[in-house]
Amino acid sequence: MNDAEYALEQLLSWPDLQPAPPSCGIGQALVAGSSEIVHIYSSQSADVNLTASVIRRLGEELEHSPGVRLQDGSPWGTVRLGSASDARLLLTLTSLALHAHGQRGGDPAPAAPCSAASGRTPPAE
């Protein structure tokens, strides 16, 4: 089992997440309510919809993490999956994202596109 499969197996056991077709058409998406939270693209990368508030709060730390890539103006962060610790980081960031989306209370803010949908190609297989 690779790190992406491990992370997906763990995330599918979380009661707040449900599998869904990804809006970008690539990989596997997990949603909470109507919000896309995670897109796992391949065995090597996943996007997490962190929200602008999480990125404001933790952006500096995330930018110093070699396993995370943030893009200006996007609430999505890309996690490179190359080790068990990267998979655990994805789980942690997903937990933060779920909490942040819950804090919004179903805010009708438009969903921002993930890396693939916005033309930022996730790392290749």
Side-chain angles (χ1 to χ4, degrees), residues 13-120:
S13 72
W14 294 12
D16 292 338
L17 291 174
Q18 300 298 317
S23 59
C24 64
I26 300 172
Q28 173 68 57
L30 297 172
V31 300
S34 62
S35 297
E36 291 186 300
I37 305 296
V38 179
H39 285 189
I40 297 179
Y41 296 113
S42 69
S43 64
Q44 297 180 350
S45 71
D47 271 3
V48 182
N49 189 350
L50 294 167
T51 72
S53 64
V54 169
I55 290 175
R56 271 193 308 276
R57 196 171 73 237
L58 299 175
E60 191 171 323
E61 289 86 357
L62 293 172
E63 286 178 356
H64 288 97
S65 172
V68 177
R69 184 180 62 200
L70 300 177
Q71 298 294 320
D72 289 338
S74 174
W76 291 88
T78 301
V79 179
R80 185 185 63 220
L81 298 170
S83 68
S85 63
D86 293 335
R88 288 189 300 272
L89 176 61
L90 176 60
L91 298 176
T92 299
L93 293 177
T94 301
S95 179
L96 286 170
L98 281 169
H99 180 74
H101 282 272
Q103 293 286 323
R104 282 193 341 195
D107 181 30
C114 64
S115 291
S118 66
R120 293 180 288 119

